[in-house]
Amino acid sequence: MRLGKQRARAEGLAEGRKEGRAEGIAESIKNLIANTGMTQEDAMDALGIPLEERDKYSALLA
């Protein structure tokens, strides 16, 4: 039983880190837009965000 709790905790921590990174990237996009006047697309280009991930970040910016 203890192994199951440890695994669940590790998975929860990993998910939290993943969400935190996504929020950090979204914040970077917002800052680039606000501070440089870049478009959202240009900001994502500057940060090297792959095309297949951009919908996720657009949703976080909305």
Side-chain angles (χ1 to χ4, degrees), residues 6-37:
Q6 287 176 340
R7 183 173 297 132
R9 182 175 185 273
E11 289 173 3
L13 289 172
E15 183 65 28
R17 283 190 295 271
K18 183 178 176 182
E19 288 177 16
R21 278 193 303 272
E23 290 171 4
I25 290 170
E27 192 64 30
S28 294
I29 295 166
K30 288 178 189 177
N31 287 334
L32 281 171
I33 292 168
N35 296 326
T36 68

Side-chain angles (χ1 to χ4, degrees), residues 29 40-61:
I29 295 166
Q40 183 175 311
E41 183 177 343
D42 288 342
M44 289 190 200
D45 285 341
L47 293 171
I49 297 171
L51 292 174
E52 59 272 6
E53 294 181 15
R54 293 184 181 201
D55 286 343
K56 172 176 70 174
Y57 294 109
S58 292
L60 287 173
L61 296 171

